[in-house]
Amino acid sequence: MIGIGSANKEYTMDNPFTYEERKIMVELSAKELFSDLNVQVVPVPDFEDSSRWRNYLDQHLPPFGYVISGNEWVNQVFKDTGKTIIPLEI
């Protein structure tokens, strides 16, 4: 499962594409790189509040054990959850 962050933001400096456009890019990349895996892409909206955002994920996504992100804020939000954090260099 791959979550597309800031799914509710589009046409900004940080998010120049819509969620649907980003979803297509991720699906095509995942298909090319991981053809043997079934990858599900889901929207993850921003709430501008760490605890509210983390609660949203806990309530709307299946349980997950890994967080892979190039966003330091995301990594900090999950720091004390027991999930394995894999930072990406972007």
Side-chain angles (χ1 to χ4, degrees):
M1 178 174 294
I2 299 173
I4 302 288
S6 302
N8 56 327
K9 296 183 178 178
E10 56 189 39
Y11 306 122
T12 68
M13 285 294 265
D14 290 333
N15 300 290
F17 302 102
T18 66
Y19 162 72
E20 286 300 324
E21 291 168 331
R22 289 181 272 169
K23 179 181 176 185
I24 290 168
M25 288 185 264
V26 168
E27 287 175 337
L28 291 173
S29 296
K31 185 177 180 181
E32 184 71 26
L33 295 170
F34 310 110
S35 60
D36 57 335
L37 294 178
N38 181 18
V39 175
Q40 180 184 5
V41 179
V42 296
V44 178
D46 280 350
F47 292 105
E48 311 301 334
D49 176 290
S50 300
S51 61
R52 187 171 168 220
W53 185 73
R54 195 166 88 184
N55 288 337
Y56 174 87
L57 295 179
D58 289 340
Q59 293 172 3
H60 291 88
L61 298 179
F64 57 96
Y66 296 87
V67 175
I68 304 170
S69 177
N71 184 300
E72 184 59 32
W73 178 80
V74 170
N75 295 339
Q76 284 298 319
V77 168
F78 287 100
K79 184 178 177 182
D80 65 346
T81 63
K83 297 180 187 315
T84 301
I85 298 170
I86 302 171
L88 289 178
E89 193 171 318
I90 297 177

